Amino acid sequence: MDDPRNRLIDTLLEEELGDAAPPDLADRVLARAFPAKRWRLPLPWLVAAAAALLAVLGVAQLWLWPHYPEPSATGSYELVAGDAVGRGAILRTTDQPAELALGGYGQVEIRPGSIVRIDGQPFAEAIYLEAGEVICDVGTGVGSFAVNSPAGSVQVTGTRFTVQVLHKGEQPMRSMIVRVLMGAVVLVTAETTIQLVAGQEKKAEEKGGTVVGVVTAKGDNFLEVKGDGELKARRYVPEWVGGAPAQGGGFNKEMVKTIGKITVGSRVRLEWKFEERPRVVKVEVIKSEDKK
Amino acid sequence: MFSISDPSGFIVVHAPTCRQFNFLAPFVGPGATINYMTREDLAALVRSQQAELFRYIRYLGAMGHAVVEDLVQETFLAAYRSPNLPPAHDFRRQSAYLRGIARNLFLAHCRQLRASPIRADSEALERAEAVWRDEFLRDGDGFDYVEALRHCLTRLDDRQRRFLELRYREGKSRSEMAQLLAMTEDGIKSALQRIRQLLGECVQRRLAVEQV
């Protein structure tokens, strides 16, 4: 259709007879001529702005983020070790109980006559129960919690339970009783690992072992040794041989003789076993007090 | 009013009066555009000129509704950025200026589409412009021409009217028309050209009579 006149008629016929009506393009033209303003910062400015924003957020986080609570104690207690209540400090209660708060999720009631060392770290709180009894209330979903004792370890993630280290007279024994009041705990001893649930109670005791430590006291037929990492010395007696005393039974004379040669303050390695009480199987002086 | 904006979008200046501010160009960064119209001016320009421009670009030979719309938009955007657009009160000069932009854009469009069946060159477009200006507009807006065409359509016989109905109202292709009317495609093409020629001559006669 090279003839413009023919083309003109064709164009007009499309409008008159067809549907070639012109659309209203004003909005589209205006949108392209006046695009919505977009802030476009140069890249260095963008990087600087992002860094500044991160810095502000970092400071805000430090300022606003809830701090992890440090261990704290209330009630009646005395500090055996450490300047203040904190990790590594040892607390002793006498005739009144004390409360220990750990990480905001572990509440420990230290019963009268107990010795507790605060161990652990944030979100993995732990105490070492040297003697006495604790009642623990552990919240769920925050962190782990463990009560270690000479007889074993109780690990929990949300429950209420008690741990009691048994005594024989003044001497704490290498045994304990765990009672679970709510939830469940895992009891770990040298021999076994078992789970205890609410209502269950378990006595755990060590049947024997080796202690390396310092002789703190001695008698004709006993040694008291404070093992490395232990808070209190324990008494070990020689093995019993020969039946009842009336039948000629008595302490192993060789061991009594060996004990007699050991001086208080010496560093020893002591093998023991539990027969009614801890008994010395073998003792070896690593460093004598005399040689200091 | 006009505004200045640079590519970053930071510099935006609006100033009064029309188009005597070319001296500002050196003071904005490279790539900056100086816009000589406010939003309201541009809206008024589009609304007053878009119908004729749409018709004109189709007349030049642009095929497809989307292509025509694109060319119309590009024409207005080019005018918006141009310092030489005649003022709004001189409607005919403004219209002629827009048609000039449209021809250039259409030419560029045809050159980009080498596979396009449309063949356009500057001379052919100038001839088309002369017919549009001198025979269609005739110092007006083309309304007389359209009125004359409507009158001439009533003078067609039934067969001719049938051809136009099929082609323009029903949008039949030549091959479809050939099947319906038992003719060849070339026969349909020739018949349509003859009818358009008759209508063109009728329109010219009627306009000549009206002029007398």
Short mmCIF file of all heavy atoms in Angstrom, two decimals, chain A residues 1 4-12 14-18 20 22-26 28 30 32-34 37 39-40, chain B residues 7-8 10 12 38-39 42 46-47 50 54-55 58-59 69 72-74 77 80 135 145-146 149-150 153 168-169 193 196:
data_model
loop_
_atom_site.label_atom_id
_atom_site.label_comp_id
_atom_site.label_asym_id
_atom_site.label_seq_id
_atom_site.Cartn_x
_atom_site.Cartn_y
_atom_site.Cartn_z
N MET A 1 0.85 -1.20 0.00
CA MET A 1 0.00 0.00 0.00
C MET A 1 0.89 1.24 0.00
O MET A 1 1.01 1.93 0.99
CB MET A 1 -0.91 -0.01 1.23
CG MET A 1 -2.12 0.86 1.06
SD MET A 1 -3.11 0.85 2.55
CE MET A 1 -3.62 -0.84 2.63
N PRO A 4 -0.02 6.95 -0.43
CA PRO A 4 -0.43 7.50 0.86
C PRO A 4 -1.93 7.78 0.95
O PRO A 4 -2.51 7.69 2.03
CB PRO A 4 0.38 8.79 0.98
CG PRO A 4 1.22 8.91 -0.21
CD PRO A 4 0.98 7.77 -1.13
N ARG A 5 -2.52 8.12 -0.16
CA ARG A 5 -3.97 8.41 -0.12
C ARG A 5 -4.74 7.13 0.23
O ARG A 5 -5.67 7.16 1.03
CB ARG A 5 -4.42 8.97 -1.46
CG ARG A 5 -3.86 10.35 -1.74
CD ARG A 5 -4.28 10.89 -3.09
NE ARG A 5 -3.62 12.15 -3.34
CZ ARG A 5 -2.40 12.28 -3.84
NH1 ARG A 5 -1.68 11.19 -4.15
NH2 ARG A 5 -1.87 13.46 -4.04
N ASN A 6 -4.35 6.05 -0.47
CA ASN A 6 -4.98 4.77 -0.18
C ASN A 6 -4.78 4.38 1.29
O ASN A 6 -5.66 3.89 1.97
CB ASN A 6 -4.35 3.71 -1.10
CG ASN A 6 -5.32 2.57 -1.40
OD1 ASN A 6 -6.03 2.15 -0.51
ND2 ASN A 6 -5.34 2.10 -2.63
N ARG A 7 -3.58 4.64 1.76
CA ARG A 7 -3.25 4.31 3.15
C ARG A 7 -4.07 5.17 4.12
O ARG A 7 -4.51 4.69 5.17
CB ARG A 7 -1.75 4.56 3.36
CG ARG A 7 -1.27 4.29 4.76
CD ARG A 7 -1.26 2.81 5.07
NE ARG A 7 -1.42 2.57 6.50
CZ ARG A 7 -1.68 1.42 7.06
NH1 ARG A 7 -1.84 0.34 6.28
NH2 ARG A 7 -1.81 1.29 8.34
N LEU A 8 -4.27 6.44 3.74
CA LEU A 8 -5.06 7.34 4.60
C LEU A 8 -6.50 6.83 4.72
O LEU A 8 -7.05 6.75 5.83
CB LEU A 8 -5.04 8.75 4.00
CG LEU A 8 -5.91 9.80 4.70
CD1 LEU A 8 -5.50 9.96 6.16
CD2 LEU A 8 -5.83 11.14 3.97
N ILE A 9 -7.08 6.46 3.58
CA ILE A 9 -8.45 5.94 3.61
C ILE A 9 -8.50 4.65 4.45
O ILE A 9 -9.42 4.43 5.25
CB ILE A 9 -8.95 5.65 2.17
CG1 ILE A 9 -9.04 6.96 1.36
CG2 ILE A 9 -10.33 4.97 2.20
CD1 ILE A 9 -10.06 7.95 1.84
N ASP A 10 -7.48 3.80 4.25
CA ASP A 10 -7.41 2.55 5.01
C ASP A 10 -7.39 2.82 6.51
O ASP A 10 -8.10 2.19 7.29
CB ASP A 10 -6.16 1.78 4.57
CG ASP A 10 -6.01 0.45 5.31
OD1 ASP A 10 -6.86 -0.43 5.11
OD2 ASP A 10 -5.06 0.33 6.10
N THR A 11 -6.56 3.80 6.90
CA THR A 11 -6.45 4.13 8.32
C THR A 11 -7.78 4.63 8.88
O THR A 11 -8.20 4.22 9.97
CB THR A 11 -5.36 5.21 8.51
OG1 THR A 11 -4.14 4.73 7.97
CG2 THR A 11 -5.17 5.54 9.98
N LEU A 12 -8.42 5.49 8.12
CA LEU A 12 -9.68 6.05 8.61
C LEU A 12 -10.79 5.00 8.63
O LEU A 12 -11.64 5.01 9.52
CB LEU A 12 -10.09 7.24 7.72
CG LEU A 12 -9.12 8.43 7.76
CD1 LEU A 12 -9.52 9.51 6.77
CD2 LEU A 12 -9.03 9.00 9.17
N GLU A 14 -10.36 1.86 9.24
CA GLU A 14 -10.12 1.03 10.44
C GLU A 14 -10.74 1.68 11.67
O GLU A 14 -11.23 1.00 12.56
CB GLU A 14 -8.61 0.84 10.65
CG GLU A 14 -8.03 -0.23 9.75
CD GLU A 14 -6.52 -0.37 9.91
OE1 GLU A 14 -5.92 0.46 10.64
OE2 GLU A 14 -5.95 -1.29 9.31
N GLU A 15 -10.70 3.00 11.70
CA GLU A 15 -11.30 3.70 12.84
C GLU A 15 -12.81 3.73 12.74
O GLU A 15 -13.52 3.51 13.73
CB GLU A 15 -10.77 5.13 12.92
CG GLU A 15 -9.38 5.22 13.48
CD GLU A 15 -8.91 6.65 13.62
OE1 GLU A 15 -9.75 7.57 13.73
OE2 GLU A 15 -7.69 6.87 13.59
N GLU A 16 -13.30 4.02 11.53
CA GLU A 16 -14.74 4.19 11.35
C GLU A 16 -15.49 2.86 11.47
O GLU A 16 -16.55 2.79 12.07
CB GLU A 16 -15.02 4.80 9.97
CG GLU A 16 -14.66 6.25 9.85
CD GLU A 16 -15.46 7.12 10.83
OE1 GLU A 16 -16.69 6.99 10.87
OE2 GLU A 16 -14.84 7.90 11.57
N LEU A 17 -14.94 1.82 10.85
CA LEU A 17 -15.65 0.55 10.82
C LEU A 17 -15.08 -0.46 11.83
O LEU A 17 -15.79 -1.38 12.24
CB LEU A 17 -15.57 -0.07 9.40
CG LEU A 17 -16.13 0.82 8.29
CD1 LEU A 17 -15.93 0.15 6.92
CD2 LEU A 17 -17.61 1.08 8.51
N GLY A 18 -13.83 -0.31 12.18
CA GLY A 18 -13.21 -1.28 13.09
C GLY A 18 -13.14 -0.76 14.51
O GLY A 18 -13.93 0.08 14.93
N ALA A 20 -10.19 0.58 15.99
CA ALA A 20 -8.84 1.16 16.12
C ALA A 20 -8.88 2.49 16.85
O ALA A 20 -8.15 3.41 16.51
CB ALA A 20 -8.21 1.32 14.74
N PRO A 22 -8.06 5.29 19.44
CA PRO A 22 -6.82 5.53 20.18
C PRO A 22 -7.04 5.41 21.69
O PRO A 22 -8.05 5.88 22.21
CB PRO A 22 -6.45 6.97 19.80
CG PRO A 22 -7.72 7.59 19.38
CD PRO A 22 -8.57 6.51 18.80
N PRO A 23 -6.10 4.79 22.41
CA PRO A 23 -6.22 4.69 23.88
C PRO A 23 -5.74 5.98 24.53
O PRO A 23 -5.06 6.79 23.89
CB PRO A 23 -5.29 3.53 24.20
CG PRO A 23 -4.24 3.60 23.16
CD PRO A 23 -4.89 4.13 21.91
N ASP A 24 -6.05 6.14 25.81
CA ASP A 24 -5.53 7.29 26.56
C ASP A 24 -4.18 6.90 27.16
O ASP A 24 -4.11 6.05 28.05
CB ASP A 24 -6.52 7.69 27.66
CG ASP A 24 -6.09 8.98 28.36
OD1 ASP A 24 -4.99 9.49 28.03
OD2 ASP A 24 -6.83 9.46 29.22
N LEU A 25 -3.13 7.50 26.64
CA LEU A 25 -1.77 7.12 27.06
C LEU A 25 -1.18 8.10 28.06
O LEU A 25 0.01 8.00 28.40
CB LEU A 25 -0.85 7.03 25.84
CG LEU A 25 -1.25 5.99 24.79
CD1 LEU A 25 -0.38 6.11 23.56
CD2 LEU A 25 -1.14 4.59 25.37
N ALA A 26 -1.98 9.05 28.52
CA ALA A 26 -1.43 10.12 29.37
C ALA A 26 -0.75 9.57 30.62
O ALA A 26 0.37 9.97 30.95
CB ALA A 26 -2.55 11.10 29.75
N ARG A 28 0.52 6.65 31.22
CA ARG A 28 1.76 5.90 30.95
C ARG A 28 2.91 6.85 30.58
O ARG A 28 4.04 6.64 31.00
CB ARG A 28 1.51 4.89 29.83
CG ARG A 28 0.92 3.59 30.35
CD ARG A 28 0.75 2.58 29.27
NE ARG A 28 -0.59 2.63 28.71
CZ ARG A 28 -1.00 1.89 27.68
NH1 ARG A 28 -0.16 1.07 27.08
NH2 ARG A 28 -2.23 1.97 27.24
N LEU A 30 3.19 9.97 31.51
CA LEU A 30 3.57 10.70 32.73
C LEU A 30 4.40 9.82 33.66
O LEU A 30 5.35 10.29 34.28
CB LEU A 30 2.31 11.19 33.45
CG LEU A 30 1.55 12.31 32.74
CD1 LEU A 30 0.24 12.61 33.46
CD2 LEU A 30 2.39 13.58 32.66
N ARG A 32 6.42 7.52 32.85
CA ARG A 32 7.78 7.39 32.33
C ARG A 32 8.54 8.70 32.40
O ARG A 32 9.75 8.71 32.62
CB ARG A 32 7.73 6.88 30.88
CG ARG A 32 7.25 5.44 30.78
CD ARG A 32 7.18 4.98 29.35
NE ARG A 32 8.48 4.96 28.71
CZ ARG A 32 8.68 4.68 27.43
NH1 ARG A 32 7.64 4.38 26.66
NH2 ARG A 32 9.89 4.69 26.92
N ALA A 33 7.83 9.80 32.24
CA ALA A 33 8.51 11.10 32.28
C ALA A 33 8.84 11.51 33.71
O ALA A 33 9.85 12.17 33.95
CB ALA A 33 7.63 12.16 31.62
N PHE A 34 7.99 11.12 34.63
CA PHE A 34 8.19 11.48 36.05
C PHE A 34 8.20 10.21 36.89
O PHE A 34 7.26 9.93 37.63
CB PHE A 34 7.08 12.42 36.53
CG PHE A 34 7.03 13.72 35.79
CD1 PHE A 34 6.20 13.86 34.68
CD2 PHE A 34 7.80 14.79 36.18
CE1 PHE A 34 6.16 15.05 33.98
CE2 PHE A 34 7.76 15.99 35.48
CZ PHE A 34 6.94 16.13 34.37
N LYS A 37 10.69 8.82 42.52
CA LYS A 37 12.07 9.03 42.96
C LYS A 37 12.55 7.83 43.77
O LYS A 37 11.88 7.37 44.68
CB LYS A 37 12.17 10.27 43.83
CG LYS A 37 12.09 11.57 43.03
CD LYS A 37 13.40 11.87 42.35
CE LYS A 37 13.36 13.21 41.63
NZ LYS A 37 12.45 13.21 40.50
N TRP A 39 15.88 6.52 45.91
CA TRP A 39 17.17 6.92 46.46
C TRP A 39 18.24 5.95 45.97
O TRP A 39 18.16 4.77 46.22
CB TRP A 39 17.13 6.92 47.98
CG TRP A 39 16.28 8.03 48.49
CD1 TRP A 39 14.98 7.96 48.91
CD2 TRP A 39 16.65 9.41 48.60
NE1 TRP A 39 14.52 9.18 49.26
CE2 TRP A 39 15.52 10.12 49.09
CE3 TRP A 39 17.80 10.13 48.31
CZ2 TRP A 39 15.54 11.48 49.32
CZ3 TRP A 39 17.81 11.48 48.55
CH2 TRP A 39 16.69 12.15 49.04
N ARG A 40 19.18 6.50 45.26
CA ARG A 40 20.27 5.64 44.78
C ARG A 40 21.58 6.20 45.29
O ARG A 40 22.10 7.18 44.78
CB ARG A 40 20.26 5.60 43.24
CG ARG A 40 19.14 4.74 42.70
CD ARG A 40 19.16 4.72 41.20
NE ARG A 40 18.85 6.04 40.68
CZ ARG A 40 18.88 6.35 39.39
NH1 ARG A 40 19.24 5.45 38.51
NH2 ARG A 40 18.57 7.56 38.98
N PRO B 7 21.02 11.80 36.35
CA PRO B 7 20.71 10.38 36.45
C PRO B 7 20.62 9.87 37.88
O PRO B 7 19.92 8.90 38.16
CB PRO B 7 21.86 9.71 35.71
CG PRO B 7 22.37 10.75 34.80
CD PRO B 7 22.19 12.05 35.50
N SER B 8 21.35 10.47 38.82
CA SER B 8 21.29 9.97 40.19
C SER B 8 19.99 10.35 40.86
O SER B 8 19.64 9.80 41.90
CB SER B 8 22.45 10.55 41.01
OG SER B 8 22.24 11.92 41.21
N PHE B 10 19.41 13.18 42.19
CA PHE B 10 19.61 14.12 43.29
C PHE B 10 19.26 15.55 42.90
O PHE B 10 18.75 16.32 43.70
CB PHE B 10 21.07 14.08 43.77
CG PHE B 10 21.33 12.95 44.71
CD1 PHE B 10 22.35 12.05 44.47
CD2 PHE B 10 20.55 12.78 45.82
CE1 PHE B 10 22.58 11.02 45.33
CE2 PHE B 10 20.78 11.74 46.71
CZ PHE B 10 21.80 10.86 46.46
N VAL B 12 17.16 18.15 41.21
CA VAL B 12 15.87 18.41 40.59
C VAL B 12 15.58 19.89 40.78
O VAL B 12 15.51 20.38 41.90
CB VAL B 12 14.75 17.57 41.23
CG1 VAL B 12 13.42 17.92 40.60
CG2 VAL B 12 15.04 16.10 41.05
N THR B 38 6.25 20.93 32.99
CA THR B 38 5.78 20.36 34.25
C THR B 38 4.92 19.15 33.93
O THR B 38 4.58 18.88 32.77
CB THR B 38 4.92 21.37 35.03
OG1 THR B 38 3.77 21.66 34.25
CG2 THR B 38 5.70 22.64 35.32
N ARG B 39 4.57 18.45 34.97
CA ARG B 39 3.69 17.28 34.82
C ARG B 39 2.36 17.68 34.18
O ARG B 39 1.84 16.99 33.31
CB ARG B 39 3.48 16.70 36.22
CG ARG B 39 2.80 15.37 36.26
CD ARG B 39 2.60 14.92 37.70
NE ARG B 39 1.87 13.67 37.70
CZ ARG B 39 2.44 12.47 37.60
NH1 ARG B 39 3.74 12.38 37.56
NH2 ARG B 39 1.71 11.37 37.58
N LEU B 42 2.73 18.45 30.43
CA LEU B 42 2.87 17.24 29.63
C LEU B 42 1.53 16.51 29.52
O LEU B 42 1.17 16.00 28.45
CB LEU B 42 3.93 16.33 30.26
CG LEU B 42 4.19 15.02 29.51
CD1 LEU B 42 4.66 15.28 28.07
CD2 LEU B 42 5.22 14.17 30.25
N VAL B 46 -0.29 15.58 26.00
CA VAL B 46 -0.64 14.21 25.60
C VAL B 46 -2.13 14.13 25.28
O VAL B 46 -2.54 13.58 24.26
CB VAL B 46 -0.26 13.21 26.72
CG1 VAL B 46 -0.77 11.81 26.38
CG2 VAL B 46 1.24 13.17 26.91
N ARG B 47 -2.94 14.68 26.17
CA ARG B 47 -4.39 14.54 25.98
C ARG B 47 -4.88 15.28 24.74
O ARG B 47 -5.83 14.85 24.10
CB ARG B 47 -5.12 15.04 27.23
CG ARG B 47 -4.81 14.14 28.44
CD ARG B 47 -5.91 14.06 29.46
NE ARG B 47 -5.68 12.92 30.35
CZ ARG B 47 -5.04 12.99 31.51
NH1 ARG B 47 -4.59 14.14 31.96
NH2 ARG B 47 -4.88 11.90 32.24
N GLN B 50 -2.75 13.14 21.44
CA GLN B 50 -2.53 11.70 21.30
C GLN B 50 -3.42 11.04 20.24
O GLN B 50 -2.99 10.13 19.55
CB GLN B 50 -2.69 10.99 22.64
CG GLN B 50 -4.08 11.04 23.25
CD GLN B 50 -4.14 10.30 24.58
OE1 GLN B 50 -3.23 9.58 24.95
NE2 GLN B 50 -5.21 10.51 25.32
N PHE B 54 -1.73 9.00 17.29
CA PHE B 54 -2.03 7.57 17.18
C PHE B 54 -2.47 7.25 15.74
O PHE B 54 -1.99 6.29 15.13
CB PHE B 54 -3.14 7.22 18.17
CG PHE B 54 -3.37 5.76 18.37
CD1 PHE B 54 -2.59 5.03 19.26
CD2 PHE B 54 -4.37 5.10 17.68
CE1 PHE B 54 -2.81 3.68 19.45
CE2 PHE B 54 -4.58 3.75 17.87
CZ PHE B 54 -3.80 3.03 18.76
N ARG B 55 -3.36 8.08 15.22
CA ARG B 55 -3.86 7.88 13.86
C ARG B 55 -2.72 8.05 12.84
O ARG B 55 -2.59 7.28 11.89
CB ARG B 55 -4.96 8.91 13.59
CG ARG B 55 -5.55 8.88 12.21
CD ARG B 55 -6.53 10.02 12.04
NE ARG B 55 -7.83 9.72 12.65
CZ ARG B 55 -8.77 10.65 12.83
NH1 ARG B 55 -8.53 11.91 12.50
NH2 ARG B 55 -9.92 10.32 13.33
N ARG B 58 -0.22 5.10 12.74
CA ARG B 58 -0.83 3.98 12.02
C ARG B 58 -0.83 4.26 10.52
O ARG B 58 -0.57 3.37 9.70
CB ARG B 58 -2.26 3.75 12.52
CG ARG B 58 -2.29 3.01 13.86
CD ARG B 58 -3.70 2.81 14.39
NE ARG B 58 -4.62 2.42 13.36
CZ ARG B 58 -5.66 3.16 12.95
NH1 ARG B 58 -5.90 4.32 13.51
NH2 ARG B 58 -6.43 2.73 11.99
N TYR B 59 -1.10 5.50 10.18
CA TYR B 59 -1.11 5.91 8.77
C TYR B 59 0.27 5.74 8.14
O TYR B 59 0.40 5.31 6.99
CB TYR B 59 -1.59 7.36 8.69
CG TYR B 59 -1.25 8.10 7.43
CD1 TYR B 59 -1.85 7.78 6.21
CD2 TYR B 59 -0.34 9.16 7.45
CE1 TYR B 59 -1.54 8.49 5.05
CE2 TYR B 59 -0.03 9.86 6.30
CZ TYR B 59 -0.62 9.52 5.10
OH TYR B 59 -0.31 10.22 3.96
N GLU B 69 1.38 2.11 20.10
CA GLU B 69 1.35 2.76 21.43
C GLU B 69 2.75 3.14 21.89
O GLU B 69 2.97 4.22 22.45
CB GLU B 69 0.72 1.82 22.45
CG GLU B 69 -0.79 1.76 22.36
CD GLU B 69 -1.41 1.01 23.52
OE1 GLU B 69 -0.68 0.71 24.49
OE2 GLU B 69 -2.61 0.74 23.46
N VAL B 72 3.91 6.19 20.04
CA VAL B 72 3.22 7.40 20.53
C VAL B 72 3.87 7.86 21.84
O VAL B 72 4.18 9.06 22.01
CB VAL B 72 1.72 7.11 20.75
CG1 VAL B 72 1.05 8.30 21.46
CG2 VAL B 72 1.03 6.85 19.42
N GLN B 73 4.11 6.92 22.75
CA GLN B 73 4.72 7.29 24.03
C GLN B 73 6.12 7.88 23.84
O GLN B 73 6.48 8.89 24.44
CB GLN B 73 4.82 6.06 24.94
CG GLN B 73 3.48 5.58 25.48
CD GLN B 73 3.66 4.42 26.47
OE1 GLN B 73 4.41 4.53 27.42
NE2 GLN B 73 2.96 3.34 26.23
N GLU B 74 6.91 7.22 22.98
CA GLU B 74 8.27 7.70 22.74
C GLU B 74 8.25 9.10 22.13
O GLU B 74 9.12 9.93 22.43
CB GLU B 74 9.03 6.74 21.82
CG GLU B 74 9.33 5.39 22.45
CD GLU B 74 10.20 5.49 23.68
OE1 GLU B 74 10.99 6.45 23.78
OE2 GLU B 74 10.06 4.63 24.57
N LEU B 77 7.63 11.55 24.91
CA LEU B 77 8.80 11.67 25.80
C LEU B 77 9.91 12.47 25.14
O LEU B 77 10.60 13.25 25.80
CB LEU B 77 9.31 10.28 26.19
CG LEU B 77 8.38 9.50 27.13
CD1 LEU B 77 8.85 8.06 27.29
CD2 LEU B 77 8.34 10.18 28.50
N TYR B 80 8.92 16.00 25.33
CA TYR B 80 9.04 16.46 26.72
C TYR B 80 10.48 16.89 27.02
O TYR B 80 10.72 17.84 27.77
CB TYR B 80 8.60 15.30 27.62
CG TYR B 80 8.96 15.42 29.07
CD1 TYR B 80 8.42 16.43 29.87
CD2 TYR B 80 9.83 14.51 29.66
CE1 TYR B 80 8.73 16.52 31.21
CE2 TYR B 80 10.15 14.59 31.00
CZ TYR B 80 9.61 15.60 31.77
OH TYR B 80 9.93 15.69 33.09
N GLU B 135 -3.90 17.25 2.36
CA GLU B 135 -5.18 16.71 1.94
C GLU B 135 -6.07 16.31 3.11
O GLU B 135 -7.30 16.41 3.01
CB GLU B 135 -4.95 15.49 1.02
CG GLU B 135 -4.23 15.88 -0.25
CD GLU B 135 -4.06 14.70 -1.21
OE1 GLU B 135 -4.80 13.71 -1.05
OE2 GLU B 135 -3.19 14.79 -2.09
N TYR B 145 -12.49 15.93 6.55
CA TYR B 145 -12.14 14.77 5.72
C TYR B 145 -12.91 13.53 6.21
O TYR B 145 -13.47 12.78 5.41
CB TYR B 145 -10.63 14.52 5.80
CG TYR B 145 -10.08 13.62 4.71
CD1 TYR B 145 -9.45 14.15 3.58
CD2 TYR B 145 -10.18 12.24 4.82
CE1 TYR B 145 -8.94 13.34 2.59
CE2 TYR B 145 -9.68 11.41 3.83
CZ TYR B 145 -9.04 11.96 2.72
OH TYR B 145 -8.55 11.14 1.74
N VAL B 146 -12.94 13.36 7.53
CA VAL B 146 -13.63 12.20 8.09
C VAL B 146 -15.14 12.29 7.81
O VAL B 146 -15.79 11.29 7.46
CB VAL B 146 -13.36 12.11 9.62
CG1 VAL B 146 -14.19 11.00 10.25
CG2 VAL B 146 -11.89 11.89 9.86
N LEU B 149 -15.71 11.33 4.30
CA LEU B 149 -15.57 9.88 4.13
C LEU B 149 -16.85 9.17 4.58
O LEU B 149 -17.33 8.22 3.92
CB LEU B 149 -14.36 9.38 4.93
CG LEU B 149 -14.14 7.87 4.91
CD1 LEU B 149 -13.82 7.38 3.48
CD2 LEU B 149 -12.98 7.48 5.84
N ARG B 150 -17.41 9.61 5.70
CA ARG B 150 -18.65 8.99 6.20
C ARG B 150 -19.77 9.14 5.16
O ARG B 150 -20.55 8.20 4.92
CB ARG B 150 -19.07 9.64 7.51
CG ARG B 150 -18.22 9.19 8.67
CD ARG B 150 -18.51 9.97 9.93
NE ARG B 150 -17.59 9.59 11.02
CZ ARG B 150 -17.33 10.33 12.06
NH1 ARG B 150 -17.89 11.53 12.19
NH2 ARG B 150 -16.49 9.92 12.97
N LEU B 153 -19.16 6.76 2.27
CA LEU B 153 -19.45 5.35 2.59
C LEU B 153 -20.91 5.01 2.30
O LEU B 153 -21.23 3.88 1.94
CB LEU B 153 -19.14 5.08 4.07
CG LEU B 153 -17.67 4.89 4.44
CD1 LEU B 153 -17.48 4.84 5.95
CD2 LEU B 153 -17.12 3.60 3.81
N TYR B 168 -12.87 -4.60 7.51
CA TYR B 168 -12.61 -3.66 8.61
C TYR B 168 -13.46 -3.94 9.86
O TYR B 168 -12.96 -3.80 10.98
CB TYR B 168 -12.85 -2.23 8.14
CG TYR B 168 -11.84 -1.81 7.11
CD1 TYR B 168 -12.20 -1.75 5.76
CD2 TYR B 168 -10.54 -1.50 7.46
CE1 TYR B 168 -11.27 -1.39 4.79
CE2 TYR B 168 -9.61 -1.13 6.50
CZ TYR B 168 -9.97 -1.08 5.17
OH TYR B 168 -9.05 -0.74 4.24
N ARG B 169 -14.72 -4.29 9.67
CA ARG B 169 -15.54 -4.51 10.87
C ARG B 169 -15.29 -5.90 11.45
O ARG B 169 -15.19 -6.07 12.65
CB ARG B 169 -17.03 -4.34 10.53
CG ARG B 169 -17.86 -4.04 11.79
CD ARG B 169 -19.32 -3.84 11.49
NE ARG B 169 -19.64 -2.71 10.65
CZ ARG B 169 -19.71 -1.44 11.08
NH1 ARG B 169 -19.48 -1.15 12.34
NH2 ARG B 169 -20.01 -0.46 10.23
N GLN B 193 -8.45 -2.14 -2.95
CA GLN B 193 -7.75 -0.93 -3.39
C GLN B 193 -8.67 -0.05 -4.23
O GLN B 193 -8.65 1.18 -4.11
CB GLN B 193 -6.51 -1.32 -4.21
CG GLN B 193 -5.30 -1.56 -3.31
CD GLN B 193 -4.03 -1.83 -4.09
OE1 GLN B 193 -4.08 -2.26 -5.24
NE2 GLN B 193 -2.90 -1.61 -3.45
N ARG B 196 -11.11 1.76 -1.96
CA ARG B 196 -10.46 2.86 -1.24
C ARG B 196 -10.19 4.03 -2.17
O ARG B 196 -10.33 5.20 -1.80
CB ARG B 196 -9.16 2.37 -0.59
CG ARG B 196 -9.38 1.54 0.66
CD ARG B 196 -8.11 1.34 1.43
NE ARG B 196 -7.19 0.46 0.74
CZ ARG B 196 -7.03 -0.84 1.02
NH1 ARG B 196 -7.72 -1.39 2.01
NH2 ARG B 196 -6.18 -1.57 0.34
#
